[in-house]
Amino acid sequence: LLGKRYSWVQYICALLLCFGVVGCTYADKWVASGQASSSATGVCLLLVAVCCDAISPVVQERMLGKYAVGAAELMVRTNLIALIGILAAWAISRESDAYATLPPDLDHSWLLLTLSVYGASSYVGVSFMLALIEVWGSAVSVAVGTLRKVVTIVLSFLWWSKPFSATFALSGLAVVAALVLNSYAQKIDAALCAKG
């Protein structure tokens, strides 16, 4: 993708990560009875999101490296483009009309505080992710992002006492195996580069 090459070990890591995330996603359906099936639109939107999620770190890595764009500049430009897209979709979908239907006694300062906290935490998260891409590359940043999702799932078990199944355990093991294998592959690559 975009001229970047990966070893066969990294492809295995990617497959293990995908297996782990898909397994965790569908384990809920296997455990819970009577849950509604997925819609074709939802699955298509999810596939588009996953593809964009896969391409984004590679493009960011190229911008940081080849074009010498700083992490802060990259974040500002990316978020401005995203903001324009979100505002356009918000206006076209007429979801902007929902703001007028908010109760008049709603505490807007609480809404503003919540959005500010969310924005600040997103800024910190994106800053760390860009630093991770700059130092370790896009493959590691995707692995860390996947691990974050797995930790969210684990916390949901602890917080809401969700029913557990073997599918969750196998999916978690696949993610851990992918992270360990990816770390091992990077050590081998570093050793080969040092000899070469």
Side-chain angles (χ1 to χ4, degrees):
L1 180 65
L2 300 173
K4 188 166 177 70
R5 298 197 179 273
Y6 299 97
S7 68
W8 62 271
V9 176
Q10 288 175 310
Y11 281 104
I12 291 173
C13 292
L15 288 173
L16 285 170
L17 283 173
C18 290
F19 172 77
V21 172
V22 168
C24 285
T25 302
Y26 280 98
D28 271 339
K29 288 184 180 259
W30 296 330
V31 170
S33 59
Q35 191 171 4
S37 60
S38 299
S39 70
T41 304
V43 171
C44 288
L45 289 173
L46 185 59
L47 287 173
V48 169
V50 167
C51 290
C52 291
D53 219 13
I55 293 170
S56 176
V58 176
V59 172
Q60 289 171 335
E61 182 179 12
R62 175 170 277 197
M63 296 296 286
L64 289 168
K66 185 176 180 182
Y67 299 109
V69 174
E73 180 184 2
L74 179 62
M75 186 170 30
V76 167
R77 288 183 181 199
T78 303
N79 287 331
L80 280 176
I81 292 169
L83 177 66
I84 292 167
I86 288 169
L87 288 176
W90 190 54
I92 291 169
S93 69
R94 311 230 358 128
E95 285 186 28
S96 56
D97 296 345
Y99 187 78
T101 63
L102 289 175
D105 60 341
L106 180 69
D107 185 5
H108 291 282
S109 61
W110 174 252
L111 182 63
L112 184 61
L113 176 66
T114 304
L115 289 173
S116 298
V117 168
Y118 173 76
S121 63
S122 293
Y123 172 80
V124 171
V126 171
S127 296
F128 283 164
M129 193 57 77
L130 287 174
L132 192 65
I133 291 170
E134 197 169 21
V135 174
W136 294 99
S138 57
V140 172
S141 71
V142 170
V144 169
T146 303
L147 183 60
R148 179 197 60 79
K149 293 169 185 155
V150 170
V151 169
T152 301
I153 292 169
V154 169
L155 289 175
S156 74
F157 281 110
L158 298 173
W159 190 268
W160 287 289
S161 306
K162 291 174 63 168
F164 188 74
S165 73
T167 308
F168 281 118
L170 286 173
S171 300
L173 286 174
V175 170
V176 171
L179 295 174
V180 169
L181 193 58
N182 187 51
S183 175
Y184 178 71
Q186 286 184 341
K187 287 179 183 175
I188 290 174
D189 287 345
L192 290 175
C193 287
K195 287 182 182 178

